[in-house]
Amino acid sequence: MQVLLEPTTQGVRATLLGRDTIFAEGRDDKEALGRLQEVFTAQLPAGARVIDWQGTPQSHPLARFAGMFRDNPAFDDWQEAIAQRRQELEESN
């Protein structure tokens, strides 16, 4: 979670980004962050927890087709034909 720390006339205001209603103030960063943690924890429903989680990266469903034409001798000709057609379309507009 990211926290915005802003100077105030009394010290520092810490705001949980994405949750602008969760904030706290203190004389310095450390105090403001400590109070923010207290405010945040108090607002959690009973039994709720916050954890750091790194999900398993999912590959794109078409990733298995990547590079399937790399050894095909007609691939370069195909790409050239596409480029020529694009050029023709641009010139006709």
Side-chain angles (χ1 to χ4, degrees), residues 17-59:
L17 290 180
R19 300 283 189 155
D20 59 348
T21 59
I22 300 177
F23 63 89
E25 294 185 355
R27 291 183 302 257
D28 55 26
D29 291 0
K30 185 177 179 179
E31 185 176 311
L33 287 168
R35 289 183 176 173
L36 179 65
Q37 184 174 4
E38 292 171 4
V39 169
F40 178 74
T41 303
Q43 292 188 19
L44 287 176
R49 297 177 293 148
V50 176
I51 63 168
D52 289 328
W53 179 66
Q54 294 284 327
T56 305
Q58 300 294 317
S59 64

Side-chain angles (χ1 to χ4, degrees), residues 8 12 18 26 32 44-45 48-49 72 75-77 92-93:
T8 67
V12 177
L44 287 176
R49 297 177 293 148
N72 187 326
F75 182 76
D76 291 335
D77 293 337
S92 69
N93 286 333

